[in-house]
Amino acid sequence: MIKQYLNALGIAALSVSSASAGLVAHYDFTDGDLLDNEVGASNTLTHITTGAGGGVTINSDGSAAFAGDDTNQGYLETAAFGTVGVTNYTVSFWWKTSTFAQGNFQGLFSNDDAGVGFSWQLDSNGADMRFISSGNPNLTYAESNLAADTWYHTVIRKNAAGANYTEVFITAEGAAGPNLVMNQNANPGGLNEYRLGVNRNSDSLFQMDMANVKIYNDNTVDLATLLAEGPQTVPEPSTSALLVLGGLGLAFRRKKS
């Protein structure tokens, strides 16, 4: 029994290690902080508001709410360049939206402002999810394959030169394994400035909820492990739990009286 327990601990530790190798930024909004990096003081985010409202907010489940192109515009970005000149990298994040009919060039995640080095972005463009880069890749995936109000795990990965130089995975929560939807033998460019919820031109924003954002300076992290993590939002209390809490409160009141 003890040996089985120790083996289980070892497997769990290996899973944690494989998901943390090369991790340079983790943005977990469940702690109520939109800006802090859970793995260090560098690469913290800045909240940019461009509309009359408060910009990005935090939902009750601990995900970040991006209003998109309305009067409450806002997005998040690193205050200065992050991991400059990385040979390989992995960008991982979870998102969902109530509608895909948002227009063109609506950015989910971008790297650099337009015209700065090898900028790239993942956006919602008409009827497609699109990955576009100044370093050549211009890939699309039909949004008819996606469903509203569904959490999707998205990974953007840069590998060594070859057929899968640039890879984009978009996988629904609960899927059996990562779903490769775009790939190309072209260099997407480096990973410099992390920008959440906006395109490279800073003028088209995607309306969505975003959670569990992780950025790695290598491409060896196990994607199945990242997928299995889920968005890691705060679960709503169940009806039975609320009834238990209510019963405890009633018992306490009776005891006092």
Side-chain angles (χ1 to χ4, degrees), residues 22 50 63 90 111 169 172 181 204 206 208 221 231 241 256:
T50 60
S63 59
T90 303
N111 170 67
F169 299 78
V181 298
S204 292
F206 190 62
M208 63 176 171
V221 60
K256 287 184 66 176

Side-chain angles (χ1 to χ4, degrees), residues 239-253:
T239 302
S240 57
L242 290 174
L243 288 173
V244 169
L245 290 173
L248 289 173
L250 181 60
F252 181 72
R253 286 169 55 191

Side-chain angles (χ1 to χ4, degrees), residues 14-47:
L14 181 61
S15 298
V16 170
S17 175
S18 64
S20 300
L23 183 64
V24 295
H26 181 200
Y27 306 117
D28 176 12
F29 311 116
T30 59
D31 61 0
D33 192 333
L34 281 170
L35 308 180
D36 68 326
N37 177 7
E38 306 299 329
V39 297
S42 61
N43 299 323
T44 56
L45 296 169
T46 298
H47 187 187

